[in-house]
């Protein structure tokens, strides 16, 4: 599973990236998360299992979804503010039907 | 009421934000400046290192004088190298922007070829060079050619792309066994020729009739806009607008990416003036990228560093948790955990300070710099450098550091009463 996180500069999502990787390791999965600026998203669509957008760019969801078949989600505002990787990971697994 | 408002935002404002953010030229411009940040930072450090802030020969003998004398000999020793390092950064920014726009538009259109980059670069070089002797000239490769780079970059790229797409003058080499790369280059010989010849022709025409070149014409046209941004009212209006967007939880890039050319051309003009010997107090522009990101957005948009400190020391467990999470990122001007976690977004109690604190920082800094109290910015330490240190690098003026520390204290004082009211509400919730 490869999780692609995107925000404006890929900075604030990189905080969540570290926490999500810990969650994946706990879950017995190879940690595979990257945080990228949304302007570079085209280069990271390949091999992505799911794309998560920071809430500050939630309005780009449809725009990104048009470019890919994998699910594109805007991260819940509360979960993002508290960097709640447990809940974000749970949502990802639900969406991917795991 | 709140529901109605957020509904209004999601259905009316968000689509506008989407449109602007996905506008391909604005997006290309934003990506270009993102790529150029290391160049600005490296060039800034080089310029600072080769420019001791005080001339030691005018100083009283003592500890400070020996430091400055040491700095001067370091500068003399390293400037054969660092002069070049500076000269390939900010003084060439427009050339890089022309290339960057072409590169990012190629990605947007999924064009996998070097040719558009070459075409755009040569078109920019012609437009920026045009002079009476018809020689190549570097003069407008610096900040003065920035709007030309954007304008010529987009036009020449699009013209080339359309010509290739419409197969104008396409030399068909397919099936003749030539490698694909060669088919791309020789096959498009006619479109390349059309763009380059047309650019040279039009620029010549302009110069012959007006005896000024395109960068000079564009400077005259853009001048009112540049003055509108580099102005205390411009700062207030833009900063309030940015903060209103953030209060709705929408990233400022919708507005600030359009401001980048102004921020960086002003910075480049200041750097060039400083390198040419102008005193930092007397530089031409106040509002630059470092002015905005290092003096106004202390701790992130909304100047929330002080607020992060308040959260860290809060009596409310919930707010303290967010404080712990957000304090370290805040030192590096990342404040999404505060905006979405505290939260500031849609928070009616925090709305007033969140929207007014950053414009206020702008007003105070503008007045301090335009009155000559504090040196203006000529270098850029990057947006995620801890603000007091960044302020020193940006200006090489210790008074700028004092200014930033004073701003942090002022910001805390303004946030404090609102934060206390919000904290009380949270504490009451936690009691239950």
């Amino acid at each position: 599973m490869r999780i692609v996180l995107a925000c404006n500069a890929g900075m604030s999502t990189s905080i969540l990236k570290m926490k999500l990787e810990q969650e994946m390791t706990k879950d017995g999965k190879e940690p595979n998360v990257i945080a990228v600026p949304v302007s570079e998203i085209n280069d990271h669509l390949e091999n992505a299992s799911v794309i998560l957008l920071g809430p500050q760019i939630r309005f780009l969801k449809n725009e990104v979804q048009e470019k890919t078949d994998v699910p594109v989600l805007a991260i819940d505002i509360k979960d993002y503010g508290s960097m709640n990787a447990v809940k974000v990971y749970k949502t990802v697994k639900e969406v991917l039907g795991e | 009421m709140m529901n109605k408002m957020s509904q209004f935002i999601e259905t009316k404002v968000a689509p506008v934000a989407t449109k602007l953010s996905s506008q391909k030229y604005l997006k290309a411009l934003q990506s270009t400046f993102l790529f150029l940040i290391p160049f600005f930072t490296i060039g800034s450090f080089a310029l600072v290192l080769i420019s001791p802030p005080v001339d030691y020969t005018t100083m009283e003998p003592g500890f400070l004088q020996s430091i400055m004398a040491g700095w001067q000999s370091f500068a003399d020793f390293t400037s054969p190298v660092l002069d070049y390092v500076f000269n390939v950064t900010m003084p060439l920014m427009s050339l890089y922007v022309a290339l960057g726009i072409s590169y990012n538009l190629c990605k947007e259109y999924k064009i996998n070829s070097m040719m558009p980059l070459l075409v755009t670069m040569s078109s920019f070089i012609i437009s920026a060079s045009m002079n009476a002797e018809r020689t190549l000239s570097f003069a407008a490769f610096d900040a003065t050619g920035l709007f030309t780079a954007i304008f010529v970059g987009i036009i020449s790229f699009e013209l080339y792309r359309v010509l290739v797409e419409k197969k104008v003058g396409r030399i068909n080499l397919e099936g003749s066994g030539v490698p694909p790369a060669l088919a791309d280059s020789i096959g498009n010989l006619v479109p390349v020729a059309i763009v380059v010849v047309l650019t040279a022709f039009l620029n010549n025409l302009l110069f012959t009739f007006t005896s000024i070149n395109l960068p000079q014409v564009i400077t005259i046209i853009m001048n009112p806009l540049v003055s509108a941004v580099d102005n205390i009212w411009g700062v207030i209006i833009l900063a309030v607008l940015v903060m209103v967007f953030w209060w709705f939880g929408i990233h400022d890039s919708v507005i600030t990416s359009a401001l980048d050319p102004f921020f960086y051309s002003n910075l480049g003009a200041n750097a060039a003036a400083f390198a040419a010997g102008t005193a930092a107090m007397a530089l031409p522009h106040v509002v630059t990228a470092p002015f905005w990101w290092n003096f106004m957005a202390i701790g992130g948009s909304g100047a929330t560093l002080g607020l992060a400190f308040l959260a860290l020391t809060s009596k409310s467990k919930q707010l303290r948790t967010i404080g712990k999470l957000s304090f370290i990122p805040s030192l590096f001007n990342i404040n999404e955990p505060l905006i979405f976690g505290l939260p500031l977004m849609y928070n009616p109690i925090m709305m007033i300070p969140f929207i007014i604190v950053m414009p206020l920082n702008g007003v105070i800094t503008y007045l301090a710099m335009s009155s000559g109290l504090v040196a203006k910015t000529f270098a850029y330490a990057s947006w995620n450098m801890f603000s007091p240190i960044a302020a020193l690098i940006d200006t090489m003026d210790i008074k700028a550091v004092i200014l930033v520390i004073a701003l942090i204290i002022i910001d805390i004082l303004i946030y404090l009463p609102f934060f206390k009211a919000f904290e009380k509400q949270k504490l009451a919730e936690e009691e239950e």
Side-chain angles (χ1 to χ4, degrees):
Chain A
M1 189 196 321
R2 179 174 175 81
I3 303 176
V4 176
L5 297 168
C7 64
N8 197 63
M11 285 292 201
S12 68
T13 36
S14 58
I15 309 173
L16 189 61
K17 168 191 144 86
M18 292 187 294
K19 298 199 166 196
L20 269 176
E21 281 177 342
Q22 286 166 7
E23 282 311 304
M24 290 181 85
T25 315
K26 263 191 235 162
D27 197 36
K29 290 220 165 69
E30 179 87 2
N32 193 350
V33 185
I34 56 164
V36 300
V38 70
S39 54
E40 302 287 300
I41 194 82
N42 284 350
D43 301 340
H44 302 280
L45 296 173
E46 224 173 301
N47 304 325
S49 318
V50 62
I51 292 157
L52 304 179
L53 305 179
Q56 66 273 42
I57 54 161
R58 62 189 181 282
F59 54 88
L60 291 176
K61 184 173 170 254
N62 292 339
E63 163 100 11
V64 176
Q65 186 69 76
E66 275 169 24
K67 298 176 185 171
T68 175
D69 298 327
V70 303
V72 178
L73 310 172
I75 303 167
D76 180 76
I77 290 164
K78 267 217 157 92
D79 295 346
Y80 197 71
S82 53
M83 291 289 159
N84 190 338
V86 178
K87 269 194 72 190
V88 172
Y89 188 57
K90 204 175 136 221
T91 314
V92 166
K93 284 179 71 166
E94 273 168 23
V95 168
L96 294 179
E98 284 189 23
Chain B
M1 159 75 179
M2 260 338 263
N3 257 343
K4 253 195 186 153
M5 192 129 117
S6 71
Q7 213 178 3
F8 169 78
I9 293 307
E10 301 297 332
T11 57
K12 295 284 191 297
V13 178
V16 178
T18 312
K19 265 228 181 79
L20 283 173
S21 298
S22 47
Q23 209 289 329
K24 56 184 179 250
Y25 303 127
L26 219 48
K27 222 162 77 179
L29 198 59
Q30 194 192 358
S31 295
T32 301
F33 281 111
L34 216 57
F35 274 110
L36 286 181
I37 284 175
F39 275 77
F40 285 109
T41 308
I42 293 164
S44 295
F45 275 94
L47 181 60
V48 165
L49 286 174
I50 55 176
S51 315
V54 190
D55 178 4
Y56 75 97
T57 54
T58 64
M59 292 171 80
E60 298 283 322
F63 179 62
L64 263 177
Q65 195 229 22
S66 53
I67 288 184
M68 288 302 155
W71 192 333
Q72 186 62 57
S73 49
F74 173 80
D76 293 340
F77 180 69
T78 54
S79 68
V81 172
L82 294 183
D83 276 345
Y84 274 109
V85 175
F86 171 67
N87 282 331
V88 295
T89 56
M90 283 188 257
L92 287 183
M93 69 159 92
S94 297
L95 180 66
Y96 299 151
V97 166
L99 266 177
I101 284 177
S102 193
Y103 172 75
N104 285 299
L105 286 175
C106 277
K107 277 168 86 170
E108 180 70 27
Y109 285 108
K110 299 196 166 61
I111 297 171
N112 185 15
S113 160
M114 188 182 168
M115 202 55 92
L117 273 74
L118 293 175
V119 170
T120 320
M121 188 171 67
S122 25
S123 301
F124 169 73
I125 293 175
I126 294 169
S127 312
S129 291
M130 188 54 64
N131 57 45
E133 283 78 42
R134 306 302 196 259
T135 51
L136 290 182
S137 155
F138 275 48
F141 287 15
D142 65 2
T144 52
L146 191 56
F147 293 105
T148 307
I150 296 166
F151 177 72
V152 173
I154 292 172
I155 304 261
S156 59
F157 173 90
E158 286 294 357
L159 179 60
Y160 177 77
R161 179 185 68 85
V162 170
L163 289 173
V164 171
E165 230 162 62
K166 299 243 185 288
K167 296 196 166 36
V168 175
R170 171 99 198 152
I171 300 168
N172 203 344
L173 295 166
E174 267 157 60
S176 54
V178 288
L182 202 63
D184 180 40
S185 68
I186 298 182
N188 291 322
L189 192 131
V190 176
V192 174
I194 291 176
V195 177
V196 176
V197 172
L198 196 63
T199 307
F201 173 74
L202 290 176
N203 278 287
N204 250 307
L205 202 64
L206 180 74
F207 192 83
T208 310
F209 280 99
T210 63
S211 44
I212 49 176
N213 63 18
L214 191 61
Q216 291 163 319
V217 172
I218 289 182
T219 302
I220 294 168
I221 297 171
M222 292 304 289
N223 198 32
L225 260 181
V226 172
S227 315
V229 172
D230 191 4
N231 173 295
I232 197 162
W233 300 108
V235 168
I236 295 172
I237 292 166
L238 291 169
V240 168
L241 205 62
V242 160
M243 290 326 299
V244 169
F245 267 76
W246 267 121
W247 192 76
F248 292 118
I250 294 174
H251 196 280
D252 59 65
S253 68
V254 174
I255 300 159
T256 47
S257 60
L259 290 175
D260 276 346
F262 297 92
F263 285 173
Y264 287 106
S265 68
N266 289 355
L267 173 67
N270 278 6
F274 183 81
T278 310
M281 305 278 172
L283 295 173
H285 299 286
V286 175
V287 181
T288 60
F291 171 89
W292 186 284
W293 298 114
N294 298 143
F295 289 82
M296 289 173 66
I298 302 168
S301 292
T304 53
L305 182 60
L307 183 63
F309 176 76
L310 291 177
L312 190 67
T313 54
S314 170
K315 284 192 235 67
S316 149
K317 193 167 167 270
Q318 206 187 324
L319 296 182
R320 209 164 51 237
T321 311
I322 297 297
K324 276 184 199 156
L325 188 69
S326 61
F327 189 70
I328 302 281
S330 286
L331 294 177
F332 304 100
N333 307 320
I334 296 165
N335 64 348
E336 275 86 348
L338 272 179
I339 291 176
F340 300 112
L342 200 66
L344 291 163
M345 174 184 176
Y346 292 153
N347 184 336
I349 301 176
M350 300 304 287
M351 180 181 182
I352 291 171
F354 188 51
I355 292 178
I356 68 161
V357 164
M358 191 166 80
L360 182 71
N361 285 354
V363 169
I364 295 171
T365 309
Y366 190 95
L367 293 176
M369 288 184 177
S370 60
S371 65
L373 202 66
V374 171
K376 299 189 184 90
T377 53
F378 59 85
Y380 184 30
S382 95
W383 64 269
N384 49 9
M385 173 75 81
F386 180 49
S387 286
I389 296 172
L392 182 65
I393 295 165
D394 298 344
T395 60
M396 272 299 156
D397 181 2
I398 198 81
K399 291 197 293 299
V401 183
I402 298 168
L403 172 66
V404 165
I405 292 168
L407 290 175
I408 294 172
I409 295 167
I410 293 169
D411 297 349
I412 289 181
L413 291 177
I414 297 175
Y415 271 118
L416 189 64
F418 298 94
F419 182 79
K420 282 291 166 199
F422 184 56
E423 185 183 48
K424 208 164 149 192
Q425 200 182 358
K426 284 282 151 191
L427 283 171
E429 271 173 37
E430 282 167 27
E431 289 260 311
E432 273 167 26

